[in-house]
Amino acid sequence: MFKHFRRGGGRLALPIDEPARAPPSRKQKKRFRNVKRLSVLVVAVTIMATGFMATKGKSLTGALRHSSWDGTVTHAQLQNLSLPQESRNLGGTRRFRVFMPADSPHLSLCKSVMSSVALGYPLPILLNWKSEFNRPEWHLAGSHIAKLESLHAAIEALLNDPNGIAHDDDLAVLVDSYDIWFQLPPSVLIQRYHQLNKEADKRIREEWQQTWGEHDNFPVQPPKQNIIVTSAKDCHPGPQSGSNPHYDHWPQSPMPKYMYGPGTDKVSGPLFDSARKYKKVRPRCVNSGMIMGTMGALKAALVRSKEKIAEAERTGRQLWSDQALFGEVIGDQELWREWMRNLGSTWNGNISESSLSSLHRDVVPIARAAMLQGKNFEFGIGLDYSFSTIPPTCSAEEDGYFVNLDDHKQVEAESEKAGVVDGVRVRGVPPELLEKTSSTATRDANKYRDPLRDVAWGNVPLYTDFYFGTTPVGIHHNAYVDNLKSWRVENWWSRMWFYPQLRKLVSSHLILPQTGSGVRPIIRMSSVSSDGKEVIYMPPASENHDKVVTVFEPARDGEDAAFPPISWDGICQKGKTPWFEELFGDKIGPLAL
């Protein structure tokens, strides 16, 4: 209860209903004096320590702020900038790995894992299973941040393995593990990853060259994209959360400007349904439901994430979530790119004659840190603007549904129901699913057993977004209109195209290859390497002799990091009802190979 005081007679008087306290005793006075002296001492020591740490920690910052550097950069200084080391990107074999952060068994986790197994993805590696990376003092954010810290530790352990089981050019995908379902094979995801990177490289190159004008001999070349993150319509969280991704500096969406009609990119007012206010906004912000990239590029970006975690701990700041954390990393990257474009626009062959006053105030700290601290802010991160990988369904709850892509009347009816007014945008079966006719693909088809070989993709129900005209690789169930998420996770499972044959598909993909045949390649690609040689994406080598879900156990107490297997019961069983009865719905019993 608050105690209210009133002024009277030049002194503070207690309210009349509060009894006057007795004067303090001599013993109490002595205690008060000791407490006062101790408080003064603590304050003095704190001020001295703070001053020392500030002087030590900010000496370079002060030098940056008060140095004579005016923003101009010479050729030699550009060469000394810390830039990401480009991969040689040579042809040959590359591995593909799936990571899922999960800390307890659940049927929702079981559905995510089984959807990937049914479609032929490598068996996933579970991260933070024993909550080793959680930060309890950060509450819910602590488990979210653990998602990225555990991924960094796992990638580092794989890359440092003395047996050479992983390489910087290997591909990895991190997906949320309790609300994501795959619906298309891994070959489609990998093809789209490379296609999105190709489109982004072209878009960035054109933007930089347009800014540079005639100064096209600038030493720092436009960056290449190696990491893709799913995008979101709502830019969350914002600066009010304590995290600041600097969304104002992020690129605009490359999708059509009138994608949602005249109201495109307009946020609905407060009187409108709050859950639908971003419905007509083209996605241009981050959603961390899926992060995909090469192991080397991911490691570098995750090192920067760990630096930001350490910075937050030193300053007493609490990061909002893994999405906010990775958003900050991308935000710094965009500020760095803005600085590079500014330098290139004034490049005369020897020096960039830009001034600090010409830079946005958010860019200046990044430029100073890069110039005088040697920090790297470029990680080759970009977004999936086209919703073609595993996009979120929040703010797009009514934009998509299951359709047979060859049923044109059904596609037209569902497009109209979703509100698409300018005709059908869906263009049939995705080209990545069409039969490949290359000689190597034919040899693979004859040599290896493929449980998906006979799927008629145009005649099975596939979740499709009618505004984007895209059938995504997977569905991210984070819809919050009318609390749809929990309902869909429970009721949409039986609508997935593979559900009627789920047990058969899972069993087929879990069978070990015959002796001497080896594991079937995921996909062969002839146009993605720098040397023009074929790139062959394969599952991890361990799947030659063991097809199991594994748990990442970080190194500790002198023991090396390990990846022990976990049983299906360990992943799926929670509650009294056997998981296989709920998952398969076929009344056959436990999963048996």
Side-chain angles (χ1 to χ4, degrees):
M1 186 178 200
F2 293 103
K3 296 179 179 178
H4 302 284
F5 295 90
R6 54 184 169 82
R7 291 281 178 182
R11 60 184 293 184
L12 285 173
L14 288 167
I16 57 175
D17 60 342
E18 289 282 353
R21 292 191 177 91
S25 65
R26 182 180 300 174
K27 187 175 182 180
Q28 287 174 319
K29 288 181 179 179
K30 184 177 180 181
R31 185 182 300 123
F32 292 155
R33 284 196 299 271
N34 290 338
V35 170
K36 187 175 181 180
R37 291 190 186 107
L38 180 60
S39 299
V40 171
L41 179 62
V42 169
V43 171
V45 171
T46 302
I47 292 174
M48 292 173 64
T50 303
F52 172 75
M53 292 304 294
T55 301
K56 183 178 180 181
K58 294 186 178 180
S59 57
L60 183 52
T61 304
L64 293 175
R65 185 179 294 115
H66 302 295
S67 69
S68 59
W69 182 56
D70 60 358
T72 59
V73 182
T74 65
H75 192 283
Q77 288 173 320
L78 283 172
Q79 288 182 320
N80 287 332
L81 286 178
S82 178
L83 298 173
Q85 185 175 0
E86 281 197 25
S87 165
R88 296 177 65 193
N89 190 28
L90 301 178
T93 299
R94 301 179 189 177
R95 304 291 177 181
F96 177 48
R97 295 176 178 84
V98 178
F99 295 91
M100 293 184 177
D103 56 11
S104 61
H106 198 280
L107 187 64
S108 293
L109 171 62
C110 194
K111 289 178 179 179
S112 295
V113 173
M114 287 298 188
S115 71
S116 71
V117 175
L119 286 154
Y121 283 78
L123 276 293
I125 299 171
L126 303 184
L127 303 174
N128 198 39
W129 183 250
K130 297 179 181 178
S131 304
E132 307 99 323
F133 294 88
N134 282 5
R135 296 170 179 269
E137 69 278 9
W138 282 10
H139 308 292
L140 183 61
S143 62
H144 287 185
I145 299 301
K147 172 179 168 180
L148 298 183
E149 288 196 281
S150 58
L151 177 63
H152 172 259
I155 287 178
E156 204 164 48
L158 289 165
L159 290 176
N160 292 336
D161 188 285
N163 296 316
I165 61 175
H167 187 271
D168 280 350
D169 284 337
D170 286 353
L171 207 51
V173 62
L174 173 74
V175 295
D176 286 352
S177 51
Y178 293 92
D179 58 2
I180 278 181
W181 301 343
F182 291 91
Q183 67 168 351
L184 298 182
S187 59
V188 178
L189 179 59
I190 293 173
Q191 288 179 81
R192 291 185 178 177
Y193 164 81
H194 282 287
Q195 181 62 30
L196 289 172
N197 286 343
K198 182 179 179 181
E199 292 170 0
D201 290 349
K202 181 177 183 291
R203 193 166 56 243
I204 293 169
R205 185 171 60 252
E206 290 176 350
E207 180 189 14
W208 283 42
Q209 290 174 345
Q210 183 178 4
T211 304
W212 291 346
E214 60 186 17
H215 310 287
D216 58 357
N217 60 342
F218 187 60
V220 179
Q221 293 302 301
K224 291 183 179 294
Q225 185 166 291
N226 293 299
I227 298 174
I228 292 175
V229 190
T230 39
S231 61
K233 295 184 175 187
D234 56 327
C235 298
H236 178 79
Q240 70 279 1
S241 69
S243 297
N244 190 0
H246 297 289
Y247 278 128
D248 289 347
H249 296 269
W250 289 37
Q252 294 300 311
S253 169
M255 301 306 292
K257 291 184 179 180
Y258 295 99
M259 181 173 174
Y260 294 102
T264 298
D265 288 346
K266 291 183 180 179
V267 178
S268 303
L271 297 179
F272 190 70
D273 184 352
S274 60
R276 293 179 172 87
K277 65 180 181 178
Y278 297 105
K279 177 178 173 61
K280 293 188 176 182
V281 176
R282 293 174 299 163
R284 58 172 292 271
C285 301
V286 66
N287 176 278
S288 59
M290 186 209 80
I291 301 174
M292 182 176 181
T294 62
M295 300 269 276
L298 285 171
K299 179 182 175 182
L302 292 168
V303 166
R304 178 58 184 151
S305 298
K306 287 178 66 68
E307 291 175 355
K308 282 191 164 289
I309 293 170
E311 291 169 8
E313 288 181 320
R314 283 197 302 270
T315 59
R317 181 168 69 99
Q318 185 178 122
L319 292 165
W320 186 267
S321 64
D322 60 292
Q323 184 164 298
L325 173 59
F326 216 66
E328 285 196 10
V329 174
I330 301 173
D332 288 350
Q333 172 186 274
E334 294 306 325
L335 293 172
W336 184 89
R337 291 181 178 184
E338 190 172 322
W339 178 47
M340 284 296 106
R341 292 194 297 270
N342 183 279
L343 291 178
S345 66
T346 62
W347 178 251
N348 65 10
N350 296 303
I351 191 171
S352 285
E353 299 174 338
S354 298
S355 63
L356 291 180
S357 61
S358 68
L359 299 175
H360 190 282
R361 65 179 181 274
D362 294 338
V363 177
V364 174
I366 296 295
R368 290 188 184 278
M371 275 293 296
L372 299 171
Q373 289 179 283
K375 284 195 172 184
N376 171 42
F377 297 102
E378 175 56 60
F379 301 104
I381 308 173
L383 301 182
D384 170 19
Y385 295 106
S386 62
F387 271 30
S388 63
T389 54
I390 311 176
T393 49
C394 62
S395 297
E397 289 88 345
E398 296 134 334
D399 294 356
Y401 195 61
F402 296 91
V403 290
N404 290 12
L405 294 172
D406 281 349
D407 187 337
H408 303 297
K409 289 186 177 180
Q410 184 188 28
V411 173
E412 183 178 8
E414 291 296 339
S415 297
E416 185 176 347
K417 184 178 178 181
V420 181
V421 296
D422 59 352
V424 175
R425 300 178 182 177
V426 181
R427 293 291 177 260
V429 177
E432 302 94 344
L433 288 169
L434 300 177
E435 186 178 355
K436 306 297 185 297
T437 57
S438 68
S439 58
T440 52
T442 301
R443 286 201 302 270
D444 287 346
N446 293 332
K447 180 178 180 181
Y448 301 102
R449 173 181 46 82
D450 181 6
L452 303 180
R453 179 184 299 177
D454 298 325
V455 176
W457 293 105
N459 295 316
V460 295
L462 295 172
Y463 181 84
T464 298
D465 187 296
F466 302 110
Y467 280 93
F468 285 90
T470 302
T471 301
V473 173
I475 312 171
H476 185 180
H477 289 294
N478 60 351
Y480 48 72
V481 167
D482 301 327
N483 296 313
L484 276 175
K485 174 176 178 174
S486 57
W487 187 89
R488 287 181 173 181
V489 168
E490 181 178 353
N491 293 281
W492 271 17
W493 184 244
S494 60
R495 302 185 190 187
M496 299 297 287
W497 75 265
F498 51 68
Y499 180 75
Q501 49 187 319
L502 178 60
R503 184 186 293 269
K504 178 182 177 182
L505 288 172
V506 168
S507 300
S508 297
H509 278 116
L510 289 176
I511 295 174
L512 289 172
Q514 296 178 354
T515 304
S517 67
V519 176
R520 180 173 57 87
I522 298 172
I523 187 172
R524 297 174 182 267
M525 304 188 73
S526 58
S527 59
V528 298
S529 65
S530 59
D531 59 2
K533 295 182 179 179
E534 184 180 59
V535 172
I536 309 167
Y537 281 103
M538 300 287 294
S542 59
E543 294 202 5
N544 281 304
H545 52 80
D546 219 358
K547 287 199 172 187
V548 291
V549 178
T550 54
V551 173
F552 169 60
E553 293 184 352
R556 60 176 51 191
D557 300 328
E559 296 289 331
D560 292 336
F563 295 85
I566 185 171
S567 68
W568 292 116
D569 286 348
I571 296 169
C572 301
Q573 188 60 52
K574 185 175 183 179
K576 294 182 180 180
T577 304
W579 63 267
F580 43 83
E581 290 184 9
E582 295 189 79
L583 186 85
F584 296 120
D586 55 10
K587 300 181 181 181
I588 293 179
L591 177 64
L593 303 183

